Amino acid sequence: MVLGVVQGVAEFLPISSSGHLALVEHLGMGMAAPASFDVILHLATLLVVLAYFRRRILWYIRNDLMVIIYVVVASIPTGFIGLFLKDYFQAIRLSPALVCLGLIITAIALTAAEMHRGAAYQLRDLGWYGALTIGLCQSLALVPGISRSGMTIAGGMICGVDRDEAFNFSFILSIPAVLGAVFLEMLGMVRASGSGAFVDAMVSGPIIAGFAAAAVAGYFSLAILEKLVVSGRLMYFAAYCAVAGVVGMAYFLVFA
């Protein structure tokens, strides 16, 4: 349940869920989660996004299909980079100091977004270049410690997208990315242990508890983040990531 809450909060707030889960493990506050737990946490956050943005997704499909096309375009860099370099990026998880460096990078991106004073366009005006730029920002989040939501919201704002629209695009863009990651993880588990063992692993008590905790925490985190993004308070998260990154790096370099 603790790891589920961490996932639900950190997955949506721009503070990196993968980075926080890695640091929790390095601090001895939790064991490395099995693959089945990782899958169920991602499923929980995926369902939260679908539930939270269902009306906005339907609106874009009916009234502004170009936004959905931009989501597809922005998903291409993450798909290619994740397919070929995922293991390399995940190896960074073993180095807590590098994870903390990822948090510092997130803080810099959020600060740059808040300091940017450009035009506030709607998503329909994003353009192919803007969509690919945000897609590349999302790809950086394959590195533990670099926040996916933070990088994509910041990328959208720096590209000139309205704050609220950048928030919408960030999380709608997460749907194909998380769906692809869950599919690959599930496929790997079935190949490794068989479908029967996979089903048994997915219906255990701790797995269900983690799913419920991640879903509830995630929904409230999304609601909080939307208000903070629209009101121009991303610097709160930038400050947190900067302090956590610097303090964490100092700690692990000295005591690890």
Side-chain angles (χ1 to χ4, degrees), residues 48-98:
V48 167
V49 170
L50 290 172
Y52 194 89
F53 290 94
R54 64 190 186 281
R55 293 178 181 173
R56 275 171 265 198
I57 293 172
L58 288 174
W59 191 92
Y60 286 132
I61 292 174
R62 293 169 180 168
N63 302 284
D64 204 345
L65 192 59
M66 183 57 69
V67 172
I68 303 301
I69 295 175
Y70 287 151
V71 169
V72 175
V73 172
S75 299
I76 294 174
T78 305
F80 275 105
I81 295 174
L83 186 62
F84 295 106
L85 297 176
K86 179 181 177 182
D87 292 339
Y88 173 78
F89 286 129
Q90 288 303 308
I92 296 175
R93 188 185 183 99
L94 301 176
S95 172
L98 289 180

Side-chain angles (χ1 to χ4, degrees), residues 91-233:
I92 296 175
R93 188 185 183 99
L94 301 176
S95 172
L98 289 180
V99 173
C100 291
L101 178 60
L103 290 174
I104 295 172
I105 292 173
T106 299
I108 293 172
L110 294 174
T111 301
E114 283 292 11
M115 294 178 65
H116 180 72
R117 292 293 183 268
Y121 299 117
Q122 297 299 301
L123 281 176
R124 70 176 68 90
D125 302 317
L126 178 61
W128 304 103
Y129 175 79
L132 284 173
T133 299
I134 297 175
L136 288 171
C137 290
Q138 178 172 254
S139 301
L140 292 175
L142 291 169
V143 178
I146 297 182
S147 167
R148 193 211 66 81
S149 64
M151 295 302 293
T152 51
I153 291 173
M157 290 172 59
I158 292 173
C159 286
V161 177
D162 173 76
R163 288 176 175 274
D164 190 39
E165 292 279 74
F167 171 81
N168 292 341
F169 192 77
S170 171
F171 288 102
I172 295 174
L173 178 59
S174 75
I175 295 172
V178 175
L179 193 60
V182 167
F183 174 77
L184 291 176
E185 289 171 350
M186 292 174 66
L187 185 62
M189 289 178 60
V190 170
R191 286 177 174 175
S193 59
S195 58
F198 169 75
V199 172
D200 291 339
M202 295 295 285
V203 296
S204 65
I207 295 293
I208 296 173
F211 176 89
V216 173
Y219 196 89
F220 284 106
S221 296
L222 264 180
I224 292 171
L225 178 59
E226 182 172 18
K227 292 180 179 179
L228 293 176
V229 170
V230 174
S231 61
R233 298 179 182 177

